[in-house]
Amino acid sequence: MTKTLITSRDPKGQQATTVFEAAYNKAKLDDDGAQRLNESKSFAAGLLDLIKMHSAKQPDYTLARSILGGDFITPEEITTVRPDVVYTSEQIATLADSIPSADVLKWCKKSGYAVVAGSPSPMSLIDVRSAKSDHFYSKTEGWYANANQKFSRDDKVSLGWLLIRKEPVPKSLSKNWDEQSALLGSGEFVPNAAEMSWVITVFYDVRGVRLFERVYVRTSSLVSGGGRVSVGFFGSKGLDVDYNWDYDRDGLLGVAAARK
């Protein structure tokens, strides 16, 4: 196996020792180990991702952070607290190129929104729970794991920036679905249960803050019988996923909001 995986040259044209060669030498592999490394497809693929990630131009989050502060959560911050969540260099570049404009970021700040990187691959509510089951009231199974509850597998969070209001829409408590929907502003919509669960649990992991700790919010997800899924009461026992009917009014039930 060639020890020098990538080389650079000095001004005289001579090959310079690289970080890869140094790391290889430091590993002190025997012949069998070197052979296994040479034949490992996963190593080659992982090395390629690392090369792309660390050689790519670093994203500039300065503007977003200056406007939103802690309410702006990057993919790098997510991977720091969740090592199992891996963004490719291409995905990070895509997110960096699609950061909302300054005007939108200022609107988010004024309106109590958080801007959070979505998941690198599509994740359902069940997937989000499986990734961090200790953050949920129902750690496994539960009513929404039933095969009839398609929303828990079909509604997903995916790559992109999620612009989510950190509290229920103002004045939406104690109202039915139609009344709550009428409170949404221009450009706002109701996110699904997977998107809300991702933002709530990721925000806690990165910032240590529990959103929707003492209140539920309706989402756009629907149960098999037509009821609307709500999430909330994210206390020490975990995020609760419940449902209610569109005609229901409850003093602890508001509606979630997101922005396109």
Side-chain angles (χ1 to χ4, degrees), residues 44-234:
L47 180 59
L48 179 59
D49 284 340
L50 281 173
I51 292 171
K52 290 181 178 179
M53 180 180 300
H54 290 283
S55 62
K57 181 180 178 181
Q58 294 303 301
D60 185 359
Y61 302 126
T62 305
L63 177 62
R65 283 175 171 152
S66 68
I67 295 173
L68 287 173
D71 289 334
F72 180 71
I73 295 180
T74 70
E76 292 88 349
E77 289 178 296
I78 295 173
T79 57
T80 297
V81 295
R82 293 194 178 189
D84 55 314
V85 177
V86 179
Y87 296 84
T88 66
S89 56
E90 289 84 358
Q91 289 176 322
I92 290 178
T94 296
L95 286 168
D97 290 340
S98 60
I99 294 175
S101 68
D103 286 344
V104 171
L105 293 172
K106 290 176 182 177
W107 181 92
C108 287
K109 180 66 176 179
K110 180 180 179 181
S111 304
Y113 269 61
V115 177
V116 180
S119 58
S121 59
M123 295 178 70
S124 66
L125 172 61
I126 296 296
D127 295 330
V128 175
R129 184 180 71 173
S130 296
K132 268 299 183 77
S133 60
D134 56 315
H135 285 347
F136 287 78
Y137 184 83
S138 296
K139 315 303 181 188
T140 60
E141 300 305 324
W143 68 270
Y144 54 90
N146 187 293
N148 293 331
Q149 302 301 341
K150 295 183 178 180
F151 81 89
S152 65
R153 296 171 179 81
D154 293 348
D155 293 352
K156 298 184 178 182
V157 56
S158 56
L159 186 69
W161 294 106
L162 298 170
L163 284 58
I164 302 289
R165 186 184 286 275
K166 297 189 299 176
E167 296 180 346
V169 170
K171 300 181 180 180
S172 66
L173 299 179
S174 301
K175 290 182 170 59
N176 64 33
W177 169 252
D178 289 338
E179 293 166 340
Q180 290 174 337
S181 300
L183 296 174
L184 296 174
S186 176
E188 289 185 308
F189 65 97
V190 180
N192 65 44
E195 292 169 328
M196 287 299 298
S197 298
W198 170 265
V199 169
I200 292 170
T201 56
V202 163
F203 201 93
Y204 177 71
D205 280 340
V206 177
R207 299 288 180 245
V209 176
R210 294 183 184 275
L211 303 178
F212 305 99
E213 188 174 9
R214 295 182 177 85
V215 69
Y216 287 99
V217 283
R218 280 183 167 111
T219 71
S220 62
S221 296
L222 298 173
V223 303
S224 59
R228 196 165 300 274
V229 180
S230 58
V231 298
F233 270 75
F234 184 37

Side-chain angles (χ1 to χ4, degrees), residues 3-8 16-26:
K3 294 182 180 180
T4 305
L5 301 178
I6 290 184
T7 62
S8 60
T17 300
T18 68
V19 65
F20 297 97
E21 183 176 6
Y24 181 89
N25 291 335
K26 191 174 182 178

